[in-house]
Amino acid sequence: QVQLVESGGGLVQAGGSLRLSCAESGSIFTINVMGWYRQAPGKQRELVATITSAGTTNYADSVKGRFTISRDNAKNTVYLQMNSLKPEDTAVYYCNAEYYRHYYGPYWGQGTQVTVSS
């Protein structure tokens, strides 16, 4: 029943901004950590950012200072504000949700394409 649906991806010029959203639904358990990951063709999936239910954030060095992760616990929604985008940010971005009950999940979204032109 659990679903995570990403939105907000698209094409943007270098230096521009995008805001990604991911809404989780269908879970009866409380989400602990939500995160964003990305994967470019032929490359490994990598961590972008995570945020706990209390608001503690962690970022990959490659996006630190440019991206901001946030969440709305009441809506089970996580956001990724991406500023000063670079061509190397081009990838499919996935969100995930991990739960306090660790045997439940984690669950992943379907991904949303972000393309940054030079």
Side-chain angles (χ1 to χ4, degrees):
Q1 295 187 66
V2 175
Q3 296 185 78
L4 291 93
V5 180
E6 299 104 333
S7 62
L11 279 67
V12 65
Q13 295 182 31
S17 298
L18 284 174
R19 180 178 169 87
L20 306 183
S21 299
C22 175
E24 185 261 19
S25 63
S27 176
I28 63 172
F29 299 110
T30 301
I31 301 171
N32 182 11
V33 180
M34 301 189 80
W36 288 95
Y37 297 75
R38 66 186 182 187
Q39 186 170 25
K43 297 183 179 180
Q44 291 185 312
R45 185 174 299 185
E46 64 176 351
L47 171 71
V48 177
T50 61
I51 183 168
T52 70
S53 61
T56 301
T57 59
N58 287 284
Y59 296 92
D61 288 341
S62 59
V63 307
K64 194 172 299 181
R66 299 187 298 118
F67 291 9
T68 302
I69 189 170
S70 61
R71 65 189 284 176
D72 184 333
N73 291 337
K75 297 180 179 179
N76 283 347
T77 300
V78 62
Y79 307 93
L80 186 68
Q81 179 66 47
M82 304 185 293
N83 299 325
S84 301
L85 282 162
K86 304 175 180 179
E88 53 262 43
D89 295 318
T90 296
V92 177
Y93 284 70
Y94 301 88
C95 71
N96 84 327
E98 300 176 1
Y99 299 81
Y100 286 105
R101 307 189 73 135
H102 296 293
Y103 59 84
Y104 189 80
Y107 292 96
W108 293 83
Q110 81 287 355
T112 185
Q113 177 70 47
V114 172
T115 302
V116 184
S117 62
S118 59

